[in-house]
Structure formats: structure tokens, C-alpha cells
Amino acid sequence: MANVAVVGSQWGDEGKGKIVDWLSQRADVVVRFQGGHNAGHTLVIDGKVYKLSLLPSGVVRSGKLSIIGNGVVIDPTALLKEIASIKEQGVAITPENLMIADNATLILPLHQQSDAVAEAARGSNKIGTTGRGIGPAYEDKIARRAIRICDLADEEILKERVESLVAHHNAMRRGVGIEEIEPQEVLTYLYGIKDQILPFAKPVWNVLDKLAKQGKRILFEGAQGIMLDVDHGTYPFVTSSNTAAGSAFTGSGFPVGKINCVLGITKAYTTRVGSGPFPTEQNNETGKYLGERGHEFGTVTGRERRCGWFDAVMVRQAITVSGINGIALTKLDVMDGMDKIKICVGYKIGQKQYDYFPSSIKDQASVVPIYEELDGWKGTTAGCRSFKDLPANAVKYIRRIEELIQTTVYTVSTSPEREDTILVRDPFMD
């Protein structure tokens, strides 16, 4: 039986929450390995809606172990609030079914303040950050001045780490003319949450190694999407972490090569939140139709998502970069009733054609999509659980996507409900 990594193959919001939850019935362990509480997953189970940001999607299933890996940056206040909210919905969360890497980095209130100041200073060049302190926390991690969960267990070390961190942030705050922070203020905050956080702290890499040796099936859950990867995305309009499947190894301590299948969650059209290039965006009735039918609002921010046609060039690039073996096609039902459907099959900049998304900021902004048009379908795909139930033109659309992205469709999602899924190939059997 395979270990599986799930990643988004577009700009996030592809429907990973439902697919991970659906796959988790076949898994023993579900692991978050990058990002923070800037990405949200919505699960709909028997009509009950769960909204998760930091907690792995498997947490709503009994008998599953959920793990937050070292690649995730953790806001303790947000995490504790999310735990309390999910508990109120009847889900038990204890150190027995939730573990957090003891070497994971913490997001502090000062990071959120820094995030807001930096975004405001960009003026018209805003990158669309959610303002939750994700980027500044990753900056401190890379600069080796971050506070980690394990630091909470030793007051002497914690005091030294906080003084070093505050000294850096105060120098920046002086530069932009905002009030400095006292180390004691940060320490008081950390003392207030440490006893609630530390019971969940474990050497996750060691736990995962033992579970793998026991033959447990492990599901790795990514956040955001490949085109928001800090290296491979539409830089600088990206997140602050690597969202490609390789981060499943570095963000959890799991050995390279022991993930057997990478599943790319792929929406049947394209959406994006915030600023940045979007070649197939439709600022017209088509975009409005997709947004309204797809309920395209951010789980965390509530921001309206930009909508456009399926971009086969971008998805094919994401598949290559992340080593995706197959895709889960989501929200097919949103496209029901459309007379014509377009797919981007190439790009043009001036007279030159491209079969990939260029790295240059100027080139990305100049890209003009080359479209292929297909007939839509009048029947409904909503709730279909077999290919034979789909309208013929919906099947043709899926097959054309497979041809263009050169990758197999493993599953098709036809509604937010967990069971409304067509299984073509089980990733855990690869």
C-alpha cells in the first residue's frame, strides 16, 4: 500500500480539503507539511461544514492520527481557537490524535504587525498577503532567529531566543517609525500558551518513521498550490513556502522516496485570490457565472476569487515541477449548463509562442492565452458517482484535459459532498 502526497496544481482553492478527507478513509495518518493558517480547507460531511486552517483534514475522522509537521509555521492563538471550534462541533482532539512537530516555528503577534506594515508599504504593488504573519515568521526561521515549539519547554533558552528576536524586529520598527516591543511582552504571551501547546509536541520525524515501518498508510496534505510556490510560482505574488510535493519530505522529516504517489488537486476551471498574473481570467459574465456557481470566496479571508478558463499549460508545468502522478479533477458540476467551454492550450507573447509559463515578471504579465473551444453540456454532473452517469460532452472535456496535461485523471469530484466522487484509480494502490 502506498503513501500519498496531495498538492494543489493551480493557485490553491482547488478543493483539497474534500479530496484529502475522502482519501483519509484509506489512510491511517494525515500530515500537514507546509504553510500556515493563511490557507483554509472546507469539508462537508453529512451536511455538516467544517472549516480548517491549521488542522489536517483527517482530524474530523475518528481513529486517524493527525500531524502538523515542522514545515508549517504555527500561530498558537489561531491553533487553539481552531481546536476549540472543532471540539464544539463534536470532534475530539487530544495529544493522542493530534501531534505537532516540536521543531516547528511559531508565528507571534509581532509577525502579524510586521506583515501589515510591509504590505502597506508596497502601495499599489501589494502581493496580496493575508496579513497573518506567515511571511515574516518564515523570514525569521530562515534567518535562524525564530522561536520554535521546543523552546517553550525551557525558560532560559526561551528568554534568550525572544531577546534576540525582539532586537531584530525593533531595529526594523524604528526604521518605519512604529512603537518598539518589550521582550517581556512576548514572553508573557508565550508563557500564557505554552502549557496548552506543549502536550501536542513530539519529534514528528521519529513518529512517522516508526509508523511507516509498521506499514501504516500516510497521507501528506499540502496547502495553497504549485503556482504559489515561492520558487516555482508567479513570484513575487506567491506564498512564503515551497508548495511542491518535495516539501512533504523536508516539512515532515519523512524519507525521500517513501512517498509512492503524488496526487494533484485540479479545479475544472481556474481561480486565484489576490494580486498577480492570471492569463485565463475572465472579467466578464463567464467569470461571474463560475464565481457564483462555484461559491468562489476564500475560506480564511472571505475574499472573492478571480475566475477563468482551465489553463492546461500551467497545470502541465505544475505536474512536471511536483512529480504529480495523477490528478483529482474537482468542481466539474460548476460548469454544467455552459454552451461553450474554452481551454488554454498555449501562450503567446508578441509573435512568440510558449508551451510553459515564463519566470520573468514582465513576461508573465504579457502572456496572452491561446484557446481551444469545446461544446458544453446541458445535462447535470452534480452528484454523479460514475462516468456512465456523466453527459457525453463532460466526458470529452475530461479526456481532452488528460491529453493536454499528459496525466491521468484519478478522481472526479461532482459536489462538495464526500461521496460525490468518481474513482478512476486509487492513489493508495499505486
Side-chain angles (χ1 to χ4, degrees):
M1 293 296 181
N3 297 314
V4 176
V6 171
V7 294
S9 67
Q10 294 155 308
W11 278 295
D13 308 311
E14 300 97 346
K16 290 184 291 297
K18 171 195 167 170
I19 299 299
V20 170
D21 172 62
W22 184 79
L23 286 170
S24 67
Q25 62 188 325
R26 295 166 171 78
D28 302 299
V29 186
V30 182
V31 185
R32 269 286 309 273
F33 58 84
Q34 50 75 220
H37 63 306
N38 54 341
H41 291 164
T42 300
L43 313 180
V44 182
I45 302 169
D46 298 327
K48 199 168 186 178
V49 179
Y50 300 91
K51 294 192 175 184
L52 307 176
S53 294
L54 276 168
L55 294 173
S57 296
V59 79
V60 299
R61 283 186 176 273
S62 61
K64 309 293 180 182
L65 174 61
S66 291
I67 291 178
I68 301 176
N70 56 276
V72 180
V73 285
I74 299 167
D75 180 328
T77 300
L79 176 62
L80 293 172
K81 183 177 179 180
E82 188 174 333
I83 289 173
S85 174
I86 296 301
K87 280 184 175 179
E88 287 177 5
Q89 292 186 273
V91 178
I93 298 179
T94 69
E96 281 65 52
N97 69 349
L98 174 66
M99 295 182 184
I100 306 172
D102 57 4
N103 56 338
T105 293
L106 293 175
I107 300 173
L108 306 178
L110 60 83
H111 291 126
Q112 294 157 358
Q113 295 160 9
S114 296
D115 210 351
V117 169
E119 184 74 340
R122 295 184 183 105
S124 61
N125 295 315
K126 288 180 170 57
I127 61 173
T129 173
T130 59
R132 282 164 168 74
I134 312 294
Y138 273 119
E139 287 178 35
D140 284 339
K141 175 181 178 177
I142 298 304
R144 300 179 292 269
R145 55 176 173 261
I147 309 299
R148 301 185 299 167
I149 286 179
C150 56
D151 297 332
L152 299 176
D154 189 310
E155 289 194 10
E156 184 178 348
I157 289 176
L158 184 61
K159 186 171 182 293
E160 291 176 1
R161 301 298 300 161
V162 166
E163 288 176 350
S164 174
L165 179 68
V166 168
H168 168 80
H169 278 267
N170 278 342
M172 183 204 72
R173 293 165 83 96
R174 285 193 296 273
V176 296
I178 61 175
E179 185 179 355
E180 295 184 30
I181 311 164
E182 291 296 329
Q184 189 56 49
E185 179 183 342
V186 179
L187 285 167
T188 299
Y189 168 76
L190 292 172
Y191 292 153
I193 56 89
K194 71 182 184 72
D195 290 339
Q196 295 167 275
I197 297 293
L198 282 173
F200 296 100
K202 296 287 188 299
V204 157
W205 65 270
N206 194 24
V207 172
L208 287 172
D209 179 59
K210 291 176 180 176
L211 291 170
K213 288 174 179 174
Q214 293 168 18
K216 301 296 184 183
R217 285 177 289 185
I218 304 170
L219 181 61
F220 294 84
E221 175 185 11
Q224 291 101 13
I226 306 304
M227 299 313 292
L228 289 174
D229 186 284
V230 70
D231 286 304
H232 300 289
T234 48
Y235 191 92
F237 304 100
V238 292
T239 193
S240 301
S241 60
N242 287 110
T243 58
S247 289
F249 303 114
T250 56
S252 67
F254 200 64
V256 172
K258 289 196 175 182
I259 292 177
N260 309 92
C261 180
V262 179
L263 184 67
I265 313 304
T266 308
K267 196 176 285 187
Y269 49 102
T270 311
T271 61
R272 176 164 201 168
V273 173
S275 306
F278 186 170
T280 65
E281 182 174 12
Q282 298 297 297
N283 287 313
N284 51 29
E285 288 303 311
T286 297
K288 184 178 179 182
Y289 180 88
L290 293 170
E292 289 177 351
R293 283 186 54 85
H295 306 291
E296 295 296 351
F297 297 91
T299 300
V300 172
T301 64
R303 290 186 294 181
E304 187 174 352
R305 296 175 186 141
R306 301 153 63 190
C307 299
W309 296 117
F310 187 87
D311 190 334
V313 181
M314 183 179 72
V315 172
R316 187 171 62 241
Q317 184 165 324
I319 285 168
T320 300
V321 166
S322 206
I324 290 171
N325 301 98
I327 69 166
L329 192 68
T330 64
K331 290 200 167 185
L332 182 67
D333 54 303
V334 171
M335 306 187 78
D336 289 353
M338 302 187 82
D339 291 327
K340 297 291 182 179
I341 296 173
K342 292 182 179 181
I343 300 178
C344 174
V345 298
Y347 297 143
K348 183 181 285 189
I349 302 176
Q351 297 304 308
K352 184 177 181 181
Q353 290 193 16
Y354 289 78
D355 62 356
Y356 65 93
F357 205 31
S359 299
S360 161
I361 297 171
K362 184 177 180 180
D363 286 346
Q364 289 182 352
S366 303
V367 158
V368 175
I370 301 170
Y371 286 118
E372 178 180 299
E373 188 172 83
L374 287 73
D375 290 329
W377 53 89
K378 295 300 182 184
T380 181
T381 64
C384 289
R385 300 181 183 181
S386 168
F387 261 91
K388 66 180 177 60
D389 299 326
L390 294 174
N393 282 350
V395 176
K396 289 179 182 178
Y397 182 63
I398 294 168
R399 296 307 181 206
R400 185 56 179 146
I401 285 174
E402 286 184 315
E403 290 172 358
L404 290 167
I405 65 174
Q406 301 167 13
T407 306
T408 302
V409 170
Y410 275 36
T411 69
V412 180
S413 172
T414 58
S415 94
E417 289 291 341
R418 177 192 289 166
E419 300 306 322
D420 290 342
T421 305
I422 300 170
L423 177 63
V424 181
R425 184 169 173 176
D426 190 339
F428 276 112
M429 301 303 294
D430 269 21

